[in-house]
Amino acid sequence: MNNQVTIVVAQIDLLVGDIEGNARRIVECSQNARERMGANAIVFPELSLTGYPPEDLLQRPGMHHRVRNALAQICEQVRGIDMVVGYPHLERETLYNAAGVIREGEVVAVYHKQRLPNYSVFDEKRHFEVGTDPCVVDIAGIRVGLTICEDIWIAEPARQAAQAGAHLILNLNASPFHVRKWAEREAVARQRVSETGVPLIYANLVGGQDELVFDGDSFAMNADGEIAVRVAAFEEALRCIHLTSRDGRVHIEPGYIDEPLDDEASVYSALVYATRDYIEKNGFAGAVLGLSGGIDSALTLAIAVDAIGADRVEAVMMPSRYTAQISLDDAQAQADTMGVAYHVVPIDALLASFQQALEPLFRNLPADVTEENIQARCRGVLLMAISNKHRKIVLTTGNKSEMSVGYATLYGDMAGGFAPIKDVPKTLVYRLAEYRNRLDAAIPRRVMERPPSAELAPDQKDTDSLPPYEVLDPILERYVELDRSVTEIIADGFDPETVRRVVGMVNRNEYKRRQAPPGVRISRRAFGQDRRYPITSGFGTEE
């Protein structure tokens, strides 16, 4: 006799530390799944009660008191559906990353995560102890094994669950986005179901949290490795997974399969979602940015408008004597097209005031990058003043190529609260601009075709200070993201002098990056929590 079961995947956006609010979302989703979707069970993401990653909030005793109270409230308010909820489980002064099954007012089973990631952006061994045992629980007549995120990336936890009698594996996740991460997850899941012969449901978090953005992309996979259901990326969803169980074998019925996003669409969606969540979750009234007529600020403006709406975004053009008329025209055109508030605030008078004040100290010294930086810092002061007055966050517009080599001014164009394209190389900036213009022509064509320039000196071009971006970006990818040595990069065919020059710039400018605002991580290795290098170091780069 066939047993028909419905499990709902709750791919939802949660707020770190808002335990009571997250508990309300869990209750609402569970009641919805039971009443409107006829579900037997609902599965939530990893650490869904606290949000992910809670970081050192886990060290605060009040956190665990609130978790216990929230669990009690969930137990009290929901009946008639099994809930699989992620939360930190404090057991006899030992803290675990846990998944609990809540049924009819009780926590009837608890699983402790066995593989704690301690690399890249993950720091779980700082907080949690390792679990050792499988957890298999009966849900509506199906033997279900619980696993959490990293557990599925190695063989043992899934194998343990299958050996303990699991006919279906649930994997609760807070797996952050990087380009093509969805394909990596599905390949790993396919390997696990091949090894165990057990189908798998992968439930992932969606939403932005500081530098991280979670894409969702939850899915259900049968024992033959075929995707039966896939949830759209960067969208909240409650998705039904219908299963048939017979004689200990579970089959996931074919359902709706959302197609994965291509590279540009996924990165752009990640930037928009993360920017929206950072602004909304931190309570800003809107966003303000410097619109220069260049490609970086043009893309950042499009992201901001798509994130929170044109009515909450201000763009400020701050021209100097070096600003070309084409820059003024293109900035005005984009602001008009996108419908944002637009202001022109010249900085020549401010620059003259600084120069007059500094004249006794700079007398008889030649002009150099100092005067260029003062221009950028004038603009930073103006933007921060607007931010203070209007409660709008300043979005900085620097890209990863610039951040890597220090082609940015501390307390100038680096001044702000959030950096949407901080992890986007310049060559990808152009691709994203082309992608955005395929949706509608928001960015003037000339902005994408002009040679990039900081416009801080006469006839200035980025290539006056940097190698061409089509040369620079592949070198940076190898050194920053792949940890290749100078010798290895040169062996890939790059000019030795250029490689050494670029690597030297990266190393010298760690102090700048340490003071930069957070930005969205979209690569395998971003600056910030992902790449932790000493500012002061004598380490050689040839190795």
Side-chain angles (χ1 to χ4, degrees):
M1 181 176 177
N2 290 343
N3 180 25
Q4 306 289 328
V5 176
T6 297
I7 296 177
V8 166
V9 168
Q11 180 174 292
I12 57 175
D13 188 349
L14 300 162
L15 176 57
V16 166
D18 184 15
I19 296 162
E20 294 76 17
N22 295 338
R24 285 193 295 272
R25 289 294 314 277
I26 289 168
V27 169
E28 290 166 3
C29 290
S30 300
Q31 292 172 339
N32 193 352
R34 180 195 66 208
E35 295 166 9
R36 299 187 181 182
M37 307 170 84
N40 302 95
I42 183 169
V43 55
F44 292 91
E46 177 181 11
L47 292 181
S48 41
L49 244 172
T50 59
Y52 191 95
E55 302 190 78
D56 280 4
L57 290 176
L58 291 166
Q59 307 294 335
R60 302 188 68 85
M63 162 74 79
H64 304 292
H65 174 72
R66 291 169 63 188
V67 166
R68 287 191 295 271
N69 287 344
L71 280 172
Q73 288 295 314
I74 294 169
C75 289
E76 180 180 324
Q77 294 178 32
V78 181
R79 296 288 193 277
I81 186 171
D82 287 357
M83 295 170 283
V84 185
V85 177
Y87 60 94
H89 181 212
L90 187 61
E91 184 179 77
R92 295 190 293 275
E93 299 186 359
T94 300
L95 186 63
Y96 298 98
N97 184 338
V101 179
I102 301 173
R103 175 184 300 150
E104 302 303 326
E106 294 183 65
V107 179
V108 298
V110 178
Y111 171 75
H112 295 152
K113 186 174 181 179
Q114 297 189 43
R115 293 298 182 269
L116 303 177
N118 214 55
Y119 59 88
S120 182
V121 298
F122 303 106
D123 207 9
E124 291 196 20
K125 288 184 179 179
R126 177 181 176 90
H127 307 293
F128 298 113
E129 293 296 322
V130 173
T132 57
D133 300 321
C135 178
V136 177
V137 60
D138 186 292
I139 293 179
I142 294 179
R143 299 286 291 165
V144 176
L146 304 182
T147 58
I148 301 175
C149 205
E150 192 82 2
D151 289 336
I152 211 68
W153 289 77
I154 61 169
E156 187 58 25
R159 181 182 295 123
Q160 277 188 352
Q163 290 173 345
H167 299 149
L168 172 71
I169 291 174
L170 296 183
N171 188 233
L172 287 68
N173 288 270
S175 176
F177 169 82
H178 65 241
V179 179
R180 300 177 199 163
K181 184 68 173 291
W182 68 269
E184 297 175 33
R185 298 182 191 120
E186 291 186 12
V188 166
R190 194 164 286 114
Q191 189 172 352
R192 297 292 87 82
V193 301
S194 173
E195 293 163 353
T196 61
V198 175
L200 180 144
I201 294 176
Y202 184 104
N204 195 25
L205 182 66
V206 68
Q209 173 59 35
D210 296 343
E211 296 178 15
L212 300 181
V213 61
F214 301 89
D215 51 321
D217 271 316
S218 303
F219 61 89
M221 180 180 288
N222 269 309
D224 60 2
E226 292 297 313
I227 296 290
V229 176
R230 186 190 291 118
V231 186
F234 300 108
E235 293 181 13
E236 286 197 289
L238 297 182
R239 181 63 60 84
C240 281
I241 313 290
H242 300 293
L243 308 101
T244 301
S245 172
R246 183 174 184 178
D247 299 328
R249 297 188 66 84
V250 172
H251 177 72
I252 302 171
E253 300 296 331
Y256 195 82
I257 299 176
D258 287 286
E259 289 303 310
L261 300 175
D262 64 26
D263 289 357
E264 287 78 18
S266 66
V267 170
Y268 192 80
S269 297
L271 300 177
V272 169
Y273 205 130
T275 300
R276 178 190 304 124
D277 263 11
Y278 196 87
I279 292 170
E280 303 291 11
K281 289 179 178 179
N282 285 291
F284 289 99
V288 59
L289 59 93
L291 188 63
S292 69
I295 188 69
D296 295 324
S297 64
L299 179 63
T300 304
L301 178 61
I303 290 166
V305 169
D306 291 344
I308 61 172
D311 60 322
R312 297 175 61 195
V313 178
E314 290 186 65
V316 187
M317 160 57 86
M318 295 165 284
S320 75
R321 69 194 71 173
Y322 305 118
T323 303
Q325 185 63 45
I326 190 174
S327 298
L328 288 159
D329 294 344
D330 289 344
Q332 177 80 63
Q334 185 182 2
D336 290 346
T337 298
M338 303 207 78
V340 300
Y342 179 69
H343 316 284
V344 178
V345 184
I347 66 165
D348 279 339
L350 295 174
L351 179 60
S353 296
F354 275 108
Q355 289 173 327
Q356 181 179 2
L358 291 166
E359 195 276 335
L361 299 170
F362 289 1
R363 187 175 298 143
N364 300 324
L365 296 175
D368 56 16
V369 71
T370 305
E371 283 74 18
E372 295 183 20
N373 288 341
I374 292 172
Q375 294 173 62
R377 288 174 180 139
C378 287
R379 293 176 172 127
V381 168
L382 292 172
L383 290 174
M384 289 306 301
I386 295 168
S387 172
N388 289 160
K389 189 64 71 175
H390 295 172
R391 293 197 311 108
K392 292 182 176 180
I393 189 171
V394 174
L395 300 180
T396 63
T397 61
N399 61 63
K400 189 171 190 174
S401 306
E402 295 170 345
M403 290 297 102
S404 296
V405 297
Y407 194 60
T409 303
L410 271 178
Y411 325 120
D413 55 317
M414 292 176 65
F418 195 66
I421 62 171
K422 178 181 178 181
D423 196 36
V424 181
K426 187 75 167 192
T427 48
L428 181 54
V429 167
Y430 283 101
R431 287 162 47 202
L432 292 176
E434 293 283 3
Y435 165 78
R436 179 59 181 80
N437 270 13
R438 290 197 296 272
L439 304 180
D440 62 68
I443 299 172
R445 173 54 51 183
R446 290 193 306 190
V447 171
M448 294 187 279
E449 294 174 347
R450 291 173 60 201
S453 170
E455 293 192 323
L456 298 173
D459 300 318
Q460 187 179 48
K461 302 289 184 292
D462 286 6
T463 48
D464 297 340
S465 304
L466 303 174
Y469 287 110
E470 59 268 22
V471 174
L472 177 63
D473 283 354
I475 294 173
L476 292 174
E477 180 184 19
R478 286 163 171 80
Y479 186 64
V480 173
E481 296 182 22
L482 302 178
D483 271 337
R484 299 273 178 83
S485 68
V486 166
T487 303
E488 290 171 320
I489 298 171
I490 292 170
D492 285 344
F494 293 93
D495 173 65
E497 182 180 348
T498 301
V499 172
R500 291 191 174 94
R501 178 182 164 217
V502 168
V503 167
M505 287 191 287
V506 173
N507 292 344
R508 286 193 302 274
N509 285 285
E510 185 63 34
Y511 78 100
K512 283 190 181 181
R513 292 187 293 271
R514 196 71 66 88
Q515 300 178 69
V520 190
R521 175 186 184 264
I522 57 95
S523 70
R524 289 178 176 275
R525 176 172 282 185
F527 294 118
Q529 294 184 2
D530 213 2
R531 185 182 186 271
R532 309 175 198 182
Y533 271 63
I535 295 172
T536 307
S537 171
F539 185 76
T541 57
E542 299 289 331
E543 304 165 25

